[in-house]
Coordinates of all heavy atoms in Angstrom, one line a residue:
S357 N 155.3 177.4 193.6 CA 154.8 176.6 194.6 C 154.7 175.1 194.2 O 154.6 174.2 195.0 CB 153.3 177.0 195.0 OG 152.4 176.8 193.9
R358 N 154.8 174.9 192.9 CA 154.8 173.5 192.4 C 156.2 173.2 191.8 O 156.3 172.3 190.9 CB 153.7 173.3 191.3 CG 152.3 173.4 191.9 CD 151.3 172.8 191.0 NE 151.1 173.7 189.8 CZ 150.3 173.4 188.8 NH1 149.5 172.3 188.9 NH2 150.2 174.2 187.7
S359 N 157.2 173.8 192.2 CA 158.6 173.6 191.7 C 159.5 173.3 192.8 O 159.3 173.7 194.0 CB 159.0 174.8 190.9 OG 158.2 175.1 189.8
N360 N 160.6 172.6 192.5 CA 161.7 172.3 193.4 C 161.2 171.6 194.7 O 160.3 170.9 194.6 CB 162.5 173.6 193.7 CG 163.0 174.3 192.5 OD1 163.7 173.6 191.7 ND2 162.8 175.5 192.3
G361 N 161.9 171.8 195.8 CA 161.6 171.1 197.0 C 162.9 170.5 197.6 O 163.9 170.3 196.9
D362 N 162.9 170.2 199.0 CA 164.0 169.7 199.6 C 164.2 168.2 199.2 O 165.3 167.8 199.0 CB 163.8 169.7 201.2 CG 163.8 171.1 201.7 OD1 164.3 172.0 201.0 OD2 163.3 171.3 202.8
L363 N 163.1 167.5 199.1 CA 163.2 166.0 198.8 C 162.2 165.7 197.7 O 161.1 166.3 197.6 CB 162.8 165.2 200.1 CG 163.8 165.2 201.2 CD1 163.1 164.9 202.5 CD2 165.0 164.3 201.0
W364 N 162.5 164.7 196.9 CA 161.6 164.4 195.8 C 161.5 162.9 195.8 O 162.5 162.1 196.0 CB 162.2 164.8 194.5 CG 161.5 164.4 193.2 CD1 160.3 164.8 192.8 CD2 161.9 163.5 192.2 NE1 159.9 164.2 191.6 CE2 160.9 163.4 191.2 CE3 163.1 162.8 192.0 CZ2 161.0 162.6 190.1 CZ3 163.2 162.0 190.9 CH2 162.2 161.9 190.0
V365 N 160.3 162.4 195.5 CA 160.0 161.0 195.4 C 159.2 160.7 194.2 O 158.2 161.4 193.9 CB 159.2 160.5 196.6 CG1 159.0 158.9 196.6 CG2 159.8 160.9 198.0
Q366 N 159.7 159.7 193.4 CA 159.0 159.3 192.2 C 158.5 157.9 192.4 O 159.2 157.0 192.9 CB 160.0 159.2 191.0 CG 159.4 158.6 189.7 CD 160.5 158.3 188.7 OE1 160.6 159.0 187.7 NE2 161.3 157.2 188.9
I367 N 157.2 157.7 192.2 CA 156.6 156.4 192.4 C 156.0 155.9 191.1 O 155.3 156.7 190.4 CB 155.5 156.5 193.4 CG1 156.1 156.8 194.8 CG2 154.6 155.2 193.5 CD1 155.0 157.2 195.9
G368 N 156.2 154.7 190.7 CA 155.7 154.2 189.5 C 155.2 152.7 189.7 O 155.8 152.0 190.5
A369 N 154.1 152.3 189.0 CA 153.6 151.0 189.1 C 152.7 150.7 187.9 O 152.3 151.6 187.3 CB 152.9 150.7 190.4
D370 N 152.4 149.4 187.7 CA 151.5 149.1 186.6 C 150.1 148.9 187.1 O 149.2 148.5 186.4 CB 152.0 147.8 185.9 CG 153.1 148.0 185.0 OD1 153.2 149.2 184.5 OD2 153.9 147.1 184.8
D371 N 149.8 149.2 188.4 CA 148.5 149.1 189.0 C 148.3 150.4 189.8 O 149.1 150.8 190.6 CB 148.3 147.9 189.9 CG 146.9 147.9 190.5 OD1 146.0 147.4 189.8 OD2 146.8 148.3 191.7
A372 N 147.1 151.1 189.5 CA 146.9 152.4 190.2 C 146.7 152.3 191.7 O 147.2 153.2 192.4 CB 145.6 153.0 189.6
L373 N 146.1 151.2 192.2 CA 146.0 151.1 193.6 C 147.4 150.8 194.3 O 147.6 151.3 195.4 CB 145.0 149.9 194.0 CG 143.6 150.2 193.8 CD1 142.7 149.0 194.1 CD2 143.1 151.4 194.7
V374 N 148.2 150.0 193.6 CA 149.6 149.8 194.2 C 150.3 151.1 194.2 O 151.0 151.4 195.2 CB 150.3 148.7 193.3 CG1 151.8 148.7 193.7 CG2 149.6 147.4 193.5
A375 N 150.2 151.9 193.2 CA 150.9 153.2 193.2 C 150.4 154.1 194.2 O 151.2 154.8 195.0 CB 150.8 153.8 191.8
F376 N 149.1 154.2 194.4 CA 148.5 155.1 195.4 C 148.9 154.6 196.8 O 149.2 155.4 197.7 CB 147.0 155.1 195.3 CG 146.4 155.9 196.5 CD1 146.3 157.2 196.5 CD2 145.8 155.2 197.6 CE1 145.8 157.9 197.6 CE2 145.3 155.9 198.6 CZ 145.3 157.2 198.6
H377 N 148.9 153.3 197.0 CA 149.3 152.7 198.3 C 150.7 153.1 198.7 O 150.9 153.5 199.9 CB 149.2 151.2 198.2 CG 149.5 150.4 199.5 ND1 150.5 149.5 199.5 CD2 149.0 150.5 200.7 CE1 150.5 149.0 200.8 NE2 149.6 149.6 201.5
A378 N 151.6 153.1 197.7 CA 153.0 153.6 198.0 C 153.0 155.0 198.3 O 153.7 155.5 199.2 CB 153.9 153.2 196.8
L379 N 152.3 155.8 197.6 CA 152.2 157.3 197.8 C 151.7 157.6 199.2 O 152.3 158.4 199.9 CB 151.3 157.9 196.8 CG 151.1 159.4 197.0 CD1 152.3 160.2 196.8 CD2 150.0 159.9 196.0
R380 N 150.7 156.9 199.6 CA 150.1 157.2 200.9 C 151.1 156.7 202.0 O 151.3 157.4 203.0 CB 148.8 156.4 201.1 CG 148.1 156.5 202.4 CD 147.7 157.9 202.7 NE 147.0 158.0 204.0 CZ 147.1 159.0 204.8 NH1 147.9 160.1 204.6 NH2 146.3 159.0 205.9

Side-chain angles (χ1 to χ4, degrees):
S357 68
R358 293 195 293 180
S359 299
N360 302 311
D362 294 341
L363 293 155
W364 175 69
V365 185
Q366 172 193 254
I367 295 168
D370 283 332
D371 179 80
L373 283 178
V374 169
F376 172 81
H377 182 234
L379 175 65
R380 179 61 174 145

